[in-house]
Amino acid sequence: MARMQDPPIRLITQSAELAELCERLRTEPFVTVDTEFMRERTYWPELCVVQLAGARDVAVVDAQAEGMDLAPLGDLLADPAVVKVFHAARQDVEIFLLRFGAVPKPLFDTQVAAMVAGFGDQASYDSLVRALAGTSIDKAHRFSDWSVRPLSASQIAYAAGDVTHLRRVYLELRERLLKEGRLDWVAQEMDALLEPSTYITEPETAWERLKPKSANRRFLGVLRAAAAWREAEAQRVNIPRGRLVKDESLAEVAASAPETVDQLARVRGVSEGFAKGKSGATLLAAIAEAKNLPEDALPLPLEARKGAGASPALVALLKVLLAASAEAHNVAPKLLADTEDLERLASETEPDIRALSGWRREVFGADALALKTGQLALGVAGRRVRLIRAG
């Protein structure tokens, strides 16, 4: 493929300029998209810059320019005739979902596509640019404060590079996947990215990300309540959850289950001012409510949800099969199944997991079930694992 020439970079600071740009881009078959944002001081990401590239345009949009109306961008992202290409799309999509109330579609994530194309687990943008665009990217402004104005010329050039190189990466990946008959695989992977719930953290399930090892259901009930309170409060006041109460302090709150302001203030990492304030009062109320829950309303330990313990030997065999299947089909093992999938495969007859649906079942899942039932064995041929089928 001949190397494409990039158009001149435009800095967009006026609503009319953005509207004109988006109208042009809506005539393209695809547009590459990236964002620069800040969230070190906030719960919700603060959108600073949006980068867009088509065949005739490369633009860096100052999302914080005075009077900037981003509505035309929302229309572009919702246009079903234009594929929106991202790399590692989740954080960018979260921003657009919050801003416009919808996930950009149709959507193509080059990181996911690279995993399907055999570039390993979570291929970095840098590595794909080197491998598929034949160049390297400037990393100088990776940790810039994108909320500071004016943007420097080097910041603008850096930001534009994230979408110009992405055009070549996308075209090369798409051509490769088309030849291999795997574009449908990627389309299946995009379904999860198109689901709005993928980007929303519900307060009621926030405790699960702490991965508590305890089997004490009363402790877990208080932890669930405290974590839900923290998530909702962090969202309300728009500060990072860790700045409100750190994870380790939250676990100690659940363990000690304080009933008074003085008891709460004695928890390591909780200040007296916090304990005496409105936040402390509402946290104590949430704890009290959790302590009074009936036993059947308390959460089960995370480990208990997996059912009977999986045989370590069977899990180990499934890991070997997973590696062999990934090697044979040149896909990233992590894309086929994760550790929890393998444990559930080992302990349940036919669990509802991604490894047993769609293209994954063809590549790995069906063989995993056959291995469990003795219809498939593993051997070695030369330096590779060989699948030996019964009969």
Side-chain angles (χ1 to χ4, degrees), residues 73-142:
L73 174 62
D75 294 338
L76 170 65
L77 295 176
D79 192 329
V82 184
V83 176
K84 272 64 70 172
V85 180
F86 298 82
H87 180 81
R90 285 177 181 262
Q91 293 190 84
D92 302 312
V93 172
E94 177 193 4
I95 290 170
F96 293 133
L97 175 61
L98 291 170
R99 178 62 67 108
F100 301 117
V103 173
K105 61 177 66 173
L107 185 152
F108 189 99
D109 188 328
T110 56
Q111 185 177 71
V112 175
M115 294 169 74
V116 174
F119 283 89
D121 291 338
Q122 294 184 319
S124 71
Y125 183 58
D126 302 12
S127 64
L128 289 181
V129 169
R130 286 194 300 271
L132 298 176
T135 188
S136 59
I137 63 173
D138 176 14
K139 302 180 182 180
H141 291 285
R142 179 159 292 180

